[in-house]
Amino acid sequence: MMRITAYADRLISDLDLLDWPEPIKIMQRNWIGRSEGAQVDFLALAAGGDDPREWFRRRESSGWPAAPESESVIRVFTTRPDTLYGATYMVLAPEHPLVSRIVPDAWPEGTPAAWKGQFPGRPEGDVPPRAMVDAYVRRAQAKSDVERQVETKEKTGVFTGAFAVNPVDEERIPIFVADYVLMGYGTGAIMAVPAHDLRDCEFALQFDLPIPPVVMPPEDWLREHVAAAVKERPEAASLDLADRRVLEALYGRACLPGEELGGIYSIREAFAEEGIAIHSEAIEGLPTSRAKRRITGWLDERGLAREAVNYRLRDWLFSRQRYWGEPFPIVYDDEGLPIALRPEDLPVELPEMEDYRPETTDDPDAPPRPPLARAREWAVVTIDGREHRRELNTMPNWAGSCWYYLRYLDPRNDRHLARPEVERYWMLTPKEGGAAPESYDPATCRIGGVDLYVGGAEHAVLHLLYARFWHKVLHDLGHVSTPEPFHRLFNQGYVQAAAYTDERGVYVEASEVEEKDGKYWSRGKEVRREFGKMGKSLKNAVTPDEICSTYGADTLRLYEMYMGPLDVSKPWNTRDIVGVFRFLQRLWRNLVDEDTGALKVTDEPASDDLRRALHKTIDGVRRDMEALGFNTAIAKLIELNNQLTSLDAVPREVAAALVKMLAPLAPHIAEELWSRLGEGAEATIAYESYPEADPSLLLEDSIEVPVMIKGKVRARIRVAADADAAAMERAALEQPRVRQQLEGATVRKVICVPGKMVNIVVG
RNA sequence: GCCAGAGUGGCGGAAUCGGCAGACGCGCCAGAUUCAAAAUCUGGUGAGCAUCACGCUCGUGAGGGUUCGAGUCCCUCCUCUGGCACCA
């Protein structure tokens, strides 16, 4: 087990310091699922009848115990301690250890028939509680996850026959077993507040349990639920349902003994939001957040509750019974004690095996035999003359991906993970440029080590959370300098392709599908088309080999970047590839004479306009590349290149810059052009620095701005680039078309945004 | 059901802060070149109306709102994609 839960809070708080997409952060926060609330102890009444007063007194003097002191105490976790007065029953998960202990021999007198078990396969007749509970627990354990999901609609469960005491009002409440409570979360037991929890409400309706309200909802909710529920009833005719006080009275008196307003309103839908506490002596009238604190504090003083935090996140079972995984460097001696292998015995490598399947047996009680158990020789190691048995489980699938990026730092080092100076060089990044500091300092360093991590969103919660946890452990142990592994995360989209299903809904090989008359056919049968992530499961994968051999690697690469934004999924459509292929060819022809192979580059300076265009391109492309906007960067290069087609010879300053900008996108052709340009015959373009835009060339002397009248562009004016609002207004009102448009109209207002536009409001 | 993301021409997509919707590419149409074709080059290409070179109206999934001005901000709804599944 890896105690990732011990890092839960840090895994949440450090998210704020990472440059990650917000949706991924949200998914991680939800996955960790931190919830604040309280643990509360309930005394289960023994069949003989313990005196609860005695227990309350003992608790008052002993205080809150770390674990319940006896088997008749049920500890629950709740995020809503303020609803304790509304707890009308309790539920234990079927796997809860107390279930078998609290069940009495016979049903208590007056047990409603509905409580004696509601679930498929319930034993017939009036079965005693123990047999009924056993039957329910066995059935719950036999249910697969899929079955549990299918049955989410109907709540099932059984009354255990036992009661507990509600610590706030000492009311006796029944204890049920139901599989809607999970053993794996919280304490595996809950207090049920049907008026203010959706699931408890469903269960209460099913089992005919009381649903007393203890939180007053806001007026909107009352109007939507209470007023709507009663307005058709004849009894409501005399009531003013628009009056908030009437609605509150209806809601507050629902289900109170003898006060159901003649059954006019009873709660059928839980209100699970915050409101004002009602029918709750110790916290009456308090808003939810204050009520929570008050009641928890009050119970804490009496040793009955304690503030608590719970996580949805589970600890990481770091072991699999599979062959393909990293073997553990652990052996066991004769007494079964685990021993770490000595460094000289490392690395442990997987044995060559013919058969990777786990060993099976007919004996249901036999221990499982993982695949490595078949490697009988490998499984035994002799150390200091004594035989040891190897650990036969392997590490789980995310183990390697948690640290591979660290190994890349110093891959040939066979003594360390990575040399500390190498690790610092790559992983420590100062926030504001400059030299890397000696050690991590949150004030000056980025929290994450890897500058940019590009990966699919499917890793949002597993790989990316485990890797963060692993890195933090290594950081705490002093092996890595930064607290986080990946500073900036970018989720690329999926490449999608058409996939086809036959009449059974089964995917057919996409490459065998033909289109005819707008319909799709595979082997003579019509198939249905859909779009999905390209891959094996949808049988729609296309290898890029053919494109690569037809158009070359540069075109393939460029096309993949040009298809659209990196983070968006997009269909693979080979029809569009010729576009970028033509671009590369046109670029080549602009710089090299096709017939002679001679360079068409001149040392003459570029014209003013061309130079401006170049620097505008450099500026735009730089920004696009920074934002990973490869598609728009390429569009700008195409635009510049298109301007060169009409020239007899391309000025060297333009050619060189264009080729440099192209290099990261289409490296082969850029390298070839670079060598032809003769800019340093020995060097590769890879060592050139990226072109820089001259800011003075980005400013135009004059600009054209639109003039809008009645929200439409009616004319354009040319003004100095730095013209102020007054100058723009003057120029706009003088423009002939504007004057024509304004004839007979009154100008109410003129809005001028310098450098952008003029908007004339007429009335 | 819950969480997240996305809906823009025939297609992929562009639009940095609320300021000219449709950059760039594909496709399509026309022209040049050619004996012809491919390739290449030039021009055009959201829809409708028009006294088809002035111009007008509509238009970013639907409906409302804020604003001088909305693809962009707010509310309601629809569709699609991905993730989660009774988490007390």
Side-chain angles (χ1 to χ4, degrees), chain A residues 28 308 537 633:
Chain A
Q28 290 218 342
S537 54

Side-chain angles (χ1 to χ4, degrees), chain A residues 376-410:
Chain A
R376 312 249 187 257
E377 276 183 40
W378 178 85
V380 177
V381 207
T382 306
I383 298 170
D384 297 336
R386 293 172 61 187
E387 284 199 349
H388 292 73
R389 287 171 298 106
R390 280 193 197 276
E391 168 66 55
L392 299 178
N393 289 320
T394 54
M395 299 190 201
N397 40 353
W398 305 112
S401 62
C402 279
W403 66 291
Y404 74 98
Y405 58 95
L406 291 170
R407 194 56 190 149
Y408 283 172
L409 305 177
D410 199 3

Side-chain angles (χ1 to χ4, degrees), chain A residues 353-431:
Chain A
M353 289 175 67
E354 301 264 312
D355 187 353
Y356 302 123
R357 290 171 305 174
E359 288 192 86
T360 52
T361 164
D362 293 334
D363 178 2
D365 297 321
R369 309 270 294 162
L372 284 176
R374 290 177 187 272
R376 312 249 187 257
E377 276 183 40
W378 178 85
V380 177
V381 207
T382 306
I383 298 170
D384 297 336
R386 293 172 61 187
E387 284 199 349
H388 292 73
R389 287 171 298 106
R390 280 193 197 276
E391 168 66 55
L392 299 178
N393 289 320
T394 54
M395 299 190 201
N397 40 353
W398 305 112
S401 62
C402 279
W403 66 291
Y404 74 98
Y405 58 95
L406 291 170
R407 194 56 190 149
Y408 283 172
L409 305 177
D410 199 3
R412 284 182 240 289
N413 188 329
D414 61 2
R415 302 212 53 80
H416 301 100
L417 173 67
R419 273 165 294 158
E421 62 272 27
V422 173
E423 191 275 334
R424 279 198 301 273
Y425 174 81
W426 289 109
M427 299 293 278
L428 261 191
T429 316
K431 274 179 184 161

